[in-house]
Amino acid sequence: MKRTSLAAALALLAVLVTACTPDGGRPAPTSPSPTQRVIPAGNPDRDQAAVRRQLAAVDPCALLDPRITTGLGRKPGLISATPFDCRVQDEGVQAVSYADSTASQRHGQERLDLGGVVAYRSTKATGRCTISLPVDFDHAITLAQDPVGAYDCTQPEAYAKTVAPRLRDDPASFARKDPRPGVSVCDVLSSALGPLPAGQVLAPRTSFTGSLAECGVWRDAAASGGAPVYTRQALTLAYRKPLAELRTGGGWQDSEVRPIAGTEVLFWKDSGAGCTLLWDAWPNQTPVRDRVVQAQAEAATCADASALAQKLVPVLAKAAPQTLAKTPLVYSATEPDLAAVGACSHVVDQDLRQCAPATGAAAASDPRQTVTLGAADADTLCTAAAPTVRRIAGSSLEAVTAVPPGGGAFDSGVLPVLCEFVEPSHSVVVRIGAVADLPLNSKLLLTKTRTARDTEFAGHSAKASAGEAVRGAPDTRRTALIADTTAETPGLLLVEMSALPDRGQGTGTVSPAARERLNGFDKLATALSEELLGAR
């Protein structure tokens, strides 16, 4: 006789045991197999290197319309620290051609429509109003209020409203009068260095803040076993006094100067291990407000810096400035400016959560199957819970499936995927999850339920707790782990509701209105327990 496998024997035993049940002989539903979730590829980003080249050709001072400056009662003078930023004098608005604007940053900012162009406004929590005009999925042109004084968006918004449609329809109108500073710093550095060793990449930054004015060589995250590591190889362009003046009255009198490729280069050994070189980027520059474009190269040692300068000086001197094409520099209001698809654009930490819009999968027809089916396919929970969630928690909530966020009731090892309801304001989030074959008193949950209170929802035993959805904001998250006591095997339904800062209010804090909605949590948990698990 052929030996029967243990798995087959257990399956046969399960059939025999459940063939007759206390409810009149109707067998309990079988456990479904986990459903393979399809995660959308995401919206395609723009070519970020091409975007940087286009923005290098933009005159940042052209973003500060003098008519707006005059209308605001300010003096029209402009000053720049680099060829890629410009500020209205006397602590006025600053324009930056290229700044960080990631999905996580945009998530907490109010999304605006400026003449049909996508824009974001920072919150009061930052202390400084910044209007960001996205240029790709991670960066934006920014117009920001000076940090001196109270938070005020009047001036940044006035400039942004004026330039946003032109950046879409007529980008060439922002071209530089003197095109020479409009070079791609990373292209220049790349030409000088040639192919990089494996595991090293060029990035438009020497710190963790993006900038067109500087480019550095980094060991990428995979190569360094964690975060990217700066290698102290970089090129920066900035406005400074001509080198001849720095040598005589700028505090650099004792620094060594050497001729490299026909150009005088100043060497400065800093207090650390690095060496910095300075030289006027182009000969015969006409100073603007006593400043010229100066190049700064950095390397780990002065010998390395000298070798780098031997390549950089002639490459920079001959570098062709970038030119502006007719391609829009910003996004129209109908274009996606994030990789996330559909309602996933409202999910916090969307780039880490493997989000997918809900598919409308059929919900369980038998309450005894809700948990087992929901554990295998979170989309079924979305379908089952949607009417109740929208009726009690808010009609604007949309369903997605995603892996749990950090700090939730379960980690992804216990609850691989959950159903999440999100809304455009981001002020309330509802999460529904299911775990099969796990009792409420499981040791696995002790650390999560130690401070929870014992309660019931629609006759089902539960553990309920409150916590922080936002750091420093107590009682902004309510969680319930509800026992599925109608099924033959133990299981749990997770219901969680969080109150978050409303991006449209711009305060960065949880509003009283969001907290008020949180007061409906017990009603929501009771209704979901009854409708999904059945009344007891």
Side-chain angles (χ1 to χ4, degrees):
M1 179 176 179
K2 184 181 292 186
R3 172 180 277 179
T4 303
S5 70
L6 176 60
L10 290 175
L12 177 61
L13 178 62
V15 171
L16 293 174
V17 169
T18 58
C20 293
T21 57
D23 63 355
R26 182 164 58 95
T30 58
S31 298
S33 301
T35 299
Q36 186 66 38
R37 209 163 54 103
V38 177
I39 302 172
N43 298 311
D45 196 1
R46 293 173 173 176
D47 181 335
Q48 294 198 3
V51 167
R52 290 196 298 270
R53 293 185 185 105
Q54 282 282 287
L55 293 174
V58 169
D59 179 359
C61 290
L63 299 168
L64 299 169
D65 190 318
R67 293 170 298 179
I68 301 296
T69 305
T70 303
L72 292 169
R74 303 193 66 95
K75 295 179 181 178
L78 301 172
I79 53 176
S80 297
T82 77
F84 310 102
D85 67 76
C86 189
R87 182 193 295 277
V88 178
Q89 66 179 3
D90 299 328
E91 300 174 346
V93 169
Q94 182 184 41
V96 176
S97 303
Y98 183 83
D100 291 336
S101 177
T102 62
S104 60
Q105 289 173 308
R106 294 177 196 180
H107 186 272
Q109 300 172 341
E110 182 179 6
R111 195 173 193 269
L112 308 174
D113 181 334
L114 300 183
V117 172
V118 174
Y120 289 86
R121 178 169 50 208
S122 64
T123 70
K124 290 182 180 178
T126 64
R128 183 190 197 202
C129 178
T130 300
I131 305 299
S132 300
L133 303 170
V135 293
D136 59 37
F137 288 173
D138 297 305
H139 304 94
I141 294 168
T142 61
L143 293 135
Q145 156 209 30
D146 193 272
V148 176
Y151 175 92
D152 183 3
C153 282
T154 304
Q155 295 184 36
E157 282 193 45
Y159 289 108
K161 287 177 181 177
T162 299
V163 300
R166 286 174 54 208
L167 287 165
R168 178 194 60 202
D169 303 331
D170 187 19
S173 65
F174 295 93
R176 299 175 183 271
K177 294 179 181 178
D178 178 1
R180 284 188 301 179
V183 298
S184 168
V185 177
C186 277
D187 284 353
V188 172
L189 185 58
S190 177
S191 296
L193 292 175
L196 294 174
Q200 293 189 0
V201 294
L202 282 175
R205 63 181 192 274
T206 56
S207 65
F208 284 93
T209 302
S211 170
L212 288 182
E214 54 191 38
C215 187
V217 180
W218 293 70
R219 288 198 298 274
D220 63 29
S224 58
V229 176
Y230 176 47
T231 67
R232 300 210 69 151
Q233 298 177 82
L235 172 65
T236 301
L237 297 183
Y239 285 116
R240 296 191 182 99
K241 290 184 177 180
L243 190 65
E245 292 187 31
L246 289 179
R247 292 177 59 192
T248 57
W252 304 82
Q253 295 90 330
D254 298 329
S255 298
E256 180 185 4
V257 175
R258 303 179 197 169
I260 295 179
T263 300
E264 287 194 333
V265 177
L266 183 148
F267 281 68
W268 176 56
K269 183 79 164 63
D270 65 23
S271 57
C275 186
T276 300
L277 277 60
L278 302 176
W279 71 96
D280 295 344
W282 302 282
N284 306 317
Q285 294 188 58
T286 301
V288 178
R289 289 177 292 275
D290 301 324
R291 299 291 192 271
V292 297
V293 178
Q294 199 167 85
Q296 174 179 311
E298 182 179 331
T301 68
C302 284
D304 291 339
S306 180
L308 179 59
Q310 290 282 357
K311 301 175 182 178
L312 273 176
V313 171
V315 170
L316 179 58
K318 297 177 181 178
Q322 300 297 316
T323 56
L324 282 166
K326 295 182 179 180
T327 307
L329 294 174
V330 292
Y331 288 90
S332 70
T334 57
E335 288 182 277
D337 62 283
L338 296 168
V341 174
C344 289
S345 63
H346 303 308
V347 172
V348 68
D349 296 333
Q350 56 199 243
D351 53 337
L352 304 174
R353 306 259 324 270
Q354 301 174 35
C355 182
T359 63
S365 57
D366 185 334
R368 295 177 302 167
Q369 200 176 14
T370 295
V371 166
T372 52
L373 189 60
D377 184 358
D379 269 307
T380 65
L381 294 175
C382 292
T383 302
T388 300
V389 169
R390 293 184 180 124
R391 174 171 54 84
I392 296 175
S395 59
S396 62
L397 288 160
E398 301 176 76
V400 301
T401 58
V403 299
F410 288 135
D411 59 32
S412 58
V414 179
L415 181 63
V417 181
L418 49 72
C419 174
E420 185 162 319
F421 290 88
V422 293
E423 61 184 3
S425 72
H426 301 174
S427 57
V428 166
V429 174
V430 175
R431 298 184 177 107
I432 313 291
V435 183
D437 302 321
L438 187 69
L440 191 60
N441 60 356
S442 168
K443 291 182 179 180
L444 188 63
L445 301 178
L446 285 180
T447 58
K448 298 290 185 182
T449 61
R450 185 175 287 115
T451 60
R453 61 182 174 87
D454 293 318
T455 186
E456 288 187 353
F457 293 106
H460 295 271
S461 299
K463 289 185 178 293
S465 60
E468 292 184 351
V470 180
R471 183 176 296 178
D475 195 25
T476 49
R477 182 174 68 200
R478 307 284 176 82
T479 303
L481 300 175
I482 306 165
D484 179 17
T485 50
T486 59
E488 281 69 21
T489 58
L492 294 173
L493 184 71
L494 163 73
V495 180
E496 186 172 272
M497 188 174 181
S498 297
L500 301 168
D502 187 322
R503 68 192 313 198
Q505 294 184 345
T507 62
T509 58
V510 180
S511 67
R515 288 182 181 273
E516 180 65 27
R517 291 170 68 184
L518 200 60
N519 290 334
F521 176 76
D522 283 1
K523 180 180 179 181
L524 176 65
T526 299
L528 289 173
S529 297
E530 183 173 352
E531 294 172 19
L532 272 61
L533 302 178
R536 294 286 289 168

